[in-house]
Amino acid sequence: DALPISEWKGTAKLAVIGKDLGGAKMGMNLDVEYKQKSEITVKPKINFEIDGQYNVGLALKTDTKTVSETLAQIVYKPADSKDSFYWFRADLTRGLAMVGCDQQLKDGINHSFEGVFGWKDFKGIQGQPVAVRSGVEYELSDDTSIGASGCY
């Protein structure tokens, strides 16, 4: 005997790639979720790569009536420094702006740092609306690596 299904959902996904838009590239994903109670969730994401060095992206989440999440980012990956990239991100829903970098200093040594500023209810260093996130990873040998991360 089959058990009754109390909840179900269906998901549709669409991916679009534009490989040459006048020197830029575009990637877009659209996820649509439909639940049995006629609840619809739409999650569009779009990213443009410009000149092989810059990425500009936006991600949303909506129930088709109100937007419940808004995330934006700009990423810079210098053409002359393939082992480093820098970013500015904004989580407009939670009221956070972040700026950071990720660098491979040499083979086996990676560092990543991010500064966070909050303009809503965010509490960071000593209750202030700022924080620092960091992470490091070191390959000590082919068989051993160590990593650490923190938020201050």
Side-chain angles (χ1 to χ4, degrees):
D1 290 275
L3 297 173
I5 298 175
S6 61
E7 291 190 29
W8 60 267
K9 71 178 179 179
T11 302
K13 296 179 181 265
L14 173 68
V16 177
I17 297 172
K19 293 184 180 182
D20 187 5
L21 304 172
K25 297 177 185 177
M26 184 267 305
M28 182 178 72
N29 294 311
L30 179 65
D31 295 359
V32 179
E33 193 175 272
Y34 184 83
K35 295 182 182 174
Q36 74 184 38
K37 297 178 184 176
S38 298
E39 296 172 355
I40 299 172
T41 303
V42 180
K43 298 177 186 176
K45 298 175 186 171
I46 191 163
N47 185 73
F48 290 95
E49 180 184 293
I50 303 155
D51 195 30
Q53 296 185 87
Y54 304 94
N55 282 270
V56 178
L58 179 68
L60 303 171
K61 180 178 177 183
T62 179
D63 63 2
T64 71
K65 295 173 187 67
T66 60
V67 175
S68 59
E69 288 200 20
T70 304
L71 306 163
Q73 71 175 13
I74 298 170
V75 179
Y76 172 55
K77 187 168 180 79
D80 62 348
S81 181
K82 296 290 184 192
D83 296 329
S84 300
F85 60 94
Y86 308 88
W87 64 85
F88 171 78
R89 304 185 299 156
D91 182 336
L92 301 175
T93 307
R94 292 165 190 84
L96 300 172
M98 296 146 283
V99 62
C101 67
D102 184 90
Q103 300 173 323
Q104 181 177 351
L105 302 177
K106 60 181 183 177
D107 285 344
I109 300 177
N110 292 59
H111 291 173
S112 186
F113 299 96
E114 181 175 65
V116 182
F117 172 76
W119 64 86
K120 287 188 178 178
D121 298 325
F122 179 73
K123 301 281 189 241
I125 299 170
Q126 295 185 346
Q128 299 300 309
V130 295
V132 177
R133 299 175 182 155
S134 64
V136 296
E137 184 174 0
Y138 302 101
E139 285 185 30
L140 304 175
S141 71
D142 289 342
D143 297 323
T144 308
S145 65
I146 186 170
S149 63
C151 183
Y152 318 99

